[in-house]
């Protein structure tokens, strides 16, 4: 029987059970092997001034629009960590990819004086000022998912996520090894710097292998239009022999487009992120790989890190991002993670 899910305050976050061994390992990561912070840091509170865990309130602000199922897994991780640690996490997300609105949400979250702030940073230029003001106000910040290249400059204590360029580069290497020479990079969220980095990494890997890569912009909120755009791109350039999609919002319409034009299985195809459909096609060879950046951990870990920082003033990472990927799921391993994806924890 699958675990029950529970709604959380201020967002789509839900919680799922996770084994005690994993919890213990994550707590050990936060408490041990850490870089000590000076007691004057915002999170290093004197023992007499330290609130109990039940009084701690963290706020998360992400660009996780409702049309992208990836973010429901991140929210599941946050809700589970909040339950396990006995803290409150308010999860908030923009309804469309609007950086002005997201910056305003971060400002409002900081004005509510939370004990800690968790943010994704898809556009450093647009969101940086709001994040720096939160840090200047003494609010400990951890960034997740996007922004790993800039978290230190923003004043965040840590970043939890996948190096985006590396994910695209390694994906390109795998496609080139499979014989690809001209790859279409399908970007479902134009303006998200993390996705630009993925396409850049793909392009560099293909150029090194003597190939090329081009970018096709689609809208994750309109899968039918995405399907038609992919069909059009393939018809316009018959030399395209491989596709890399940057999330399931691009992968599933692309799979449909390949069926439409009779090329399913006829070109090398990889994607970032996972869904039941993506894994089913991967298991039977329709996709070469799915890149797992472990969104559940991107939600779970920052709650642990901030809670322990508020209690002990310590933070692991040594100034480097805490990597959750890229990990490659292939035909040999896809079936092993299918049930976990359906449960919302992979």
């Amino acid at each position: 029987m699958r675990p029950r899910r529970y709604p959380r305050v201020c967002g789509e976050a839900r919680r799922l059970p996770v084994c005690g061994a994993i919890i213990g390992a994550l707590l050990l990561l936060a408490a041990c092997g850490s870089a000590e912070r000076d007691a004057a840091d915002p999170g290093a509170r004197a023992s007499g001034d330290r609130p109990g865990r039940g009084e701690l309130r963290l706020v998360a602000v992400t660009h996780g629009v409702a049309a992208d199922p990836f973010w429901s897994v991140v929210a599941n991780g946050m809700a589970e960590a909040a339950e396990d640690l006995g803290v409150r996490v308010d999860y908030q997300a923009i309804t469309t990819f609007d950086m002005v609105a997201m910056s305003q949400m971060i400002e409002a979250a900081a004005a509510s004086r939370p004990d800690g702030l968790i943010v994704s940073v898809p556009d450093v230029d647009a969101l940086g000022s709001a994040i720096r003001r939160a840090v200047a106000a003494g609010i400990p910040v951890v960034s997740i998912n996007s922004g790993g290249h800039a978290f230190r400059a923003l004043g965040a204590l840590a970043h939890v996520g996948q190096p985006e360029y590396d994910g695209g580069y390694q994906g390109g290497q795998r496609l080139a090894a499979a014989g690809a020479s001209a790859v279409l990079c399908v970007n479902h969220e134009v303006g998200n710097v993390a996705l630009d980095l993925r396409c850049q990494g793909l392009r560099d890997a293909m150029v090194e292998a003597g190939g090329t890569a081009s970018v096709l912009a689609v809208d994750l909120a309109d899968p039918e239009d995405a399907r038609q755009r992919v069909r059009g791109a393939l018809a316009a350039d018959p030399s395209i022999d491989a596709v890399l999609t940057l999330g399931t919002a691009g992968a599933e319409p692309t799979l449909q487009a390949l069926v439409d034009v009779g090329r399913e299985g006829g070109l090398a195809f990889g994607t970032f992120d996972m869904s039941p459909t993506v894994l089913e096609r991967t298991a039977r060879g329709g996709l070469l790989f799915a890149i797992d950046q472990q969104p559940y951990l991107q939600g779970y870990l920052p709650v642990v890190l901030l809670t322990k920082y508020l209690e002990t003033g310590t933070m692991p990472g040594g100034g480097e991002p805490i990597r959750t990927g890229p990990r490659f799921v292939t035909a040999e391993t896809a079936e092993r993670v299918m049930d976990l994806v359906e449960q919302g924890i992979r």
Side-chain angles (χ1 to χ4, degrees), residues 63 68 70-71 97 121-123 145-147 149 162-165 167-169 185-203 215-218 220 244-250 272-273 293:
H63 65 282
D68 191 345
F70 173 93
W71 287 96
F97 192 78
V121 194
D123 188 328
N145 181 258
S146 50
H149 63 292
Q162 164 186 260
E164 304 293 2
Y165 177 88
Y169 185 83
C185 188
V186 180
N187 185 342
H188 62 271
E189 200 167 59
V190 174
N192 184 338
V193 176
L195 302 192
D196 294 339
L197 288 170
R198 295 177 185 179
C199 285
Q200 181 183 336
L202 165 68
R203 183 182 298 110
V215 179
L216 175 68
V218 301
L220 69 84
L244 180 67
T245 55
L246 305 185
T248 58
F272 282 79
D273 305 333
Q293 58 176 308

Side-chain angles (χ1 to χ4, degrees), residues 278-328:
V278 163
L279 287 175
E280 187 274 329
R281 297 293 182 89
T282 303
R284 61 183 177 89
L287 271 81
L288 187 62
F289 58 79
I291 299 176
D292 178 15
Q293 58 176 308
Q294 302 188 90
Y296 186 84
L297 288 184
Q298 290 183 18
Y300 196 102
L301 282 174
V303 177
V304 175
L305 296 177
L306 281 172
T307 299
K308 299 308 297 182
Y309 179 70
L310 290 164
E311 291 181 341
T312 70
T314 58
M315 182 67 65
E320 295 299 320
I322 297 170
R323 299 175 61 136
T324 62
R327 299 175 63 89
F328 286 80

Side-chain angles (χ1 to χ4, degrees), residues 57-63 71 74 77-79 81 87-92 102 105-106 109 114-121 131 134 139-145 156 158 160 297-307:
R57 181 177 68 91
L58 310 179
V59 176
V61 180
T62 79
H63 65 282
W71 287 96
V74 176
M78 288 186 186
V87 301
R88 175 181 171 183
V89 177
D90 294 343
Y91 178 85
Q92 306 171 8
M102 186 172 177
M105 290 179 69
I106 293 172
D115 294 291
L117 182 63
I118 300 166
V119 292
S120 63
V121 194
I131 295 169
I139 301 171
V141 175
V142 169
S143 61
I144 64 168
N145 181 258
V160 179
L297 288 184
Q298 290 183 18
Y300 196 102
L301 282 174
V303 177
V304 175
L305 296 177
L306 281 172
T307 299

